[in-house]
Amino acid sequence: MYYVIIASDSPASLEGRTTARPDHLQRLQALRDAGRLLTAGPCPGIDSEDPGAAGYSGSVIIAEFDSLESAQSWADSDPYVDAGVYESVVVKPYRQVF
């Protein structure tokens, strides 16, 4: 089943994002390579493709996991969590219609 991971960034998280990004992307690439990633990406802090110094307000990941617990565990071990980028993370079941 798919699960949506909705993460909200901590204030002034841009530096932490930059530092932890390679490890964060590596985990997402592994999901993609396994055919389990539907979509993933950051939410710009302003209405722009490249928010520059405004940074990001959070991230959304939709991926397939065996259970809600498995999805939560995966989200909890994200390098952005360890780096203090994410202030909060919510994981919910997701049903793709389109």
Side-chain angles (χ1 to χ4, degrees):
M1 177 169 192
Y2 283 115
Y3 295 87
V4 60
I5 300 167
I6 305 165
S8 296
D9 278 21
S10 301
S13 61
L14 189 56
E15 183 177 333
R17 268 186 175 271
T18 303
T19 302
R21 189 170 192 260
D23 293 335
H24 172 76
L25 293 179
Q26 183 177 27
R27 296 177 81 234
L28 291 170
Q29 184 69 45
L31 284 178
R32 189 179 118 193
D33 291 350
R36 297 172 43 205
L37 184 63
L38 184 62
T39 191
C43 302
I46 59 172
D47 188 14
S48 174
E49 285 282 323
D50 181 3
Y56 297 90
S57 63
S59 300
V60 174
I61 300 165
I62 302 176
E64 187 176 19
F65 293 93
D66 293 333
S67 66
L68 178 60
E69 294 78 19
S70 177
Q72 186 69 59
S73 177
W74 187 91
D76 289 344
S77 63
D78 193 291
Y80 281 176
V81 172
D82 294 339
V85 172
Y86 291 157
E87 184 172 65
S88 65
V89 178
V90 175
V91 180
K92 298 179 181 186
Y94 176 81
R95 187 175 139 246
Q96 182 180 10
V97 175
F98 293 103

